[in-house]
Amino acid sequence: MKRYFLLLAGAILLAPASARACDICGCFMGITPYDNQSGLSLMHRYRVFNGYRQYGQTPQFFPTGARPFFPSPANGDDGYAHNHNGDPNDFEVFRVAELRGKYFLAQRVELNAFVPYVMNTSQINGRQLNASGLGDVTVFAGYHVIRAIETAGVQSRLIVGGGAKLPTGEYTRQNAQGRRYPLLNQVGTGTTDGFVYANYIGSFHSFGLSVNSSYRLSTENRFRNSLAPSTATFANLFYRLPLGENWQVYPSAQFFYEKTDGEMLDGRLTGEHAMNNALLGPGLDFYYKNLSLNTSFQLPVYTAETDHPASAGRMVLSVGYSFKQTKYLIHGKS
């Protein structure tokens, strides 16, 4: 059973669900050998934007003061203004520490829930704004349309599903003068977003490929803020390397493409945080019995023109535990 390949199908919606400042279409999926296994995981994602392309600046993955895991202490916004004037030290960093749960109701039906703790930092013209707190919770379900298990070394899966991002995070934070922080500097959005996704996974002996695409629509919050429709596509080419009876290692090459027209106000685009980026980089996942460690690191290979700090990359770390599920609440033919 542990030899079977599966991706955390709906994880594509992590970032779009949270819509944390610019990482509107981010995603994370770790390869897992656990077939139809419920589980829990804790994931940390670091996403950074830095450098203005129109000024010929080179993005830095760790700009000074960015702090990939934890932000500086909350300092209000004394002197902070969201004006992009080309300062090479400007950056936007979006971190998420997320608790994830997956439960199989049946062999072909899975339920997922993501509970994020959001940590945002925006540094513009030498002034920094930090915001942390519970973000928007995501819930979704997936159905395994194709479930071809180990036929002459070939495995194949097709998972389709959908769900919603719920407005559980605070989105009304303001400065001492009563001016509300920009939408994507909040820890929540105040919107309810619906999404659909499809995930195909195929493997031949030790080689495998996964392709995952999603589409998301957002409602407006009470300030008439929203996010334009977004799409994200993730491709993962991986190799299974067994090490003894209990250990497995999965090196991979991961490609990610995201696109959205950005923020909207009163039903019109504001021009803020439009995204059209492609990222590429390595991944390395480790499995020991029912424990997992997933890592990935991606750098930009394409970034559309923007007057905001450019996409500089993303890094993901995740630890998880999968249960040896043998019974389901819903029984049926596989």
Side-chain angles (χ1 to χ4, degrees):
M1 186 74 75
K2 289 185 179 180
R3 300 192 313 166
Y4 303 148
F5 299 100
L6 180 63
L7 289 182
L8 261 172
I12 46 178
L13 293 317
L14 157 67
S18 302
R20 287 309 135 248
C22 289
D23 200 7
I24 295 172
C25 297
C27 77
F28 169 71
M29 292 175 291
I31 300 162
T32 167
Y34 309 129
D35 178 56
N36 281 75
Q37 297 296 295
S38 300
L40 293 171
S41 63
L42 180 64
M43 185 219 67
H44 177 84
R45 187 187 73 253
Y46 167 81
R47 184 76 192 270
V48 58
F49 295 79
N50 168 258
Y52 293 92
R53 290 173 57 88
Q54 66 266 42
Y55 297 112
Q57 298 171 6
T58 302
Q60 300 179 47
F61 192 75
F62 295 115
T64 302
R67 305 182 60 159
F69 292 101
F70 301 101
S72 300
N75 59 348
D77 64 344
D78 183 26
Y80 173 88
H82 198 76
N83 299 319
H84 299 283
N85 297 320
D87 188 336
N89 297 310
D90 288 358
F91 65 80
E92 294 177 319
V93 168
F94 310 102
R95 315 166 193 84
V96 175
E98 187 167 67
L99 180 64
R100 299 180 166 192
K102 177 170 65 174
Y103 179 72
F104 275 88
L105 289 174
Q107 280 191 332
R108 292 179 181 266
V109 181
E110 60 175 89
L111 298 179
N112 296 264
F114 299 163
V115 182
Y117 185 83
V118 175
M119 298 166 282
N120 297 334
T121 300
S122 179
Q123 178 171 296
I124 306 294
N125 301 317
R127 299 290 185 173
Q128 205 174 97
L129 174 63
N130 294 295
S132 300
L134 177 68
D136 293 338
V137 172
T138 298
V139 293
F140 62 95
Y143 180 75
H144 295 231
V145 178
I146 298 175
R147 187 175 178 272
I149 302 297
E150 195 64 45
T151 303
V154 176
Q155 301 178 60
S156 184
R157 280 190 181 277
L158 175 62
I159 308 167
V160 297
K165 185 274 300 175
L166 307 176
T168 56
E170 185 180 1
Y171 67 101
T172 59
R173 294 186 183 183
Q174 57 188 25
N175 61 17
Q177 291 73 42
R179 184 170 181 268
R180 193 168 66 95
Y181 294 161
L183 174 64
L184 295 183
N185 289 113
Q186 303 282 347
V187 298
T189 62
T191 67
T192 299
D193 301 355
F195 58 82
V196 293
Y197 71 90
N199 182 202
Y200 176 78
I201 313 108
S203 67
F204 179 70
H205 295 297
S206 293
F207 288 93
L209 174 67
S210 172
V211 179
N212 199 329
S213 292
S214 67
Y215 178 78
R216 182 182 64 89
L217 290 173
S218 173
T219 64
E220 293 182 341
N221 61 27
R222 66 184 179 92
F223 299 103
R224 297 212 65 191
N225 278 144
S226 64
L227 294 168
S230 65
T231 60
T233 297
F234 181 88
N236 192 334
L237 180 65
F238 58 91
Y239 179 80
R240 172 181 172 267
L241 181 63
L243 300 177
E245 183 178 351
N246 297 318
W247 284 91
Q248 296 185 55
V249 178
Y250 287 74
S252 60
Q254 302 183 7
F255 173 82
F256 174 60
Y257 175 74
E258 57 189 344
K259 188 178 189 305
T260 179
D261 290 331
E263 294 182 45
M264 300 185 72
L265 179 64
D266 295 327
R268 297 182 179 181
L269 292 170
T270 66
E272 291 291 313
H273 298 104
M275 300 279 290
N276 188 1
N277 298 317
L279 304 172
L280 179 66
L284 189 61
D285 299 344
F286 301 88
Y287 296 91
Y288 175 72
K289 295 184 177 180
N290 283 35
L291 300 174
S292 63
L293 170 65
N294 307 101
T295 67
S296 67
F297 177 84
Q298 298 167 1
L299 295 175
V301 292
Y302 170 77
T303 302
E305 291 297 327
T306 175
D307 59 356
H308 284 58
S311 175
R314 62 199 291 272
M315 178 176 65
V316 178
L317 299 173
S318 178
V319 293
Y321 180 83
S322 292
F323 302 96
K324 293 183 178 180
Q325 185 172 357
T326 58
K327 297 181 179 180
Y328 305 97
L329 291 178
I330 301 174
H331 299 282
K333 295 181 179 180
S334 60

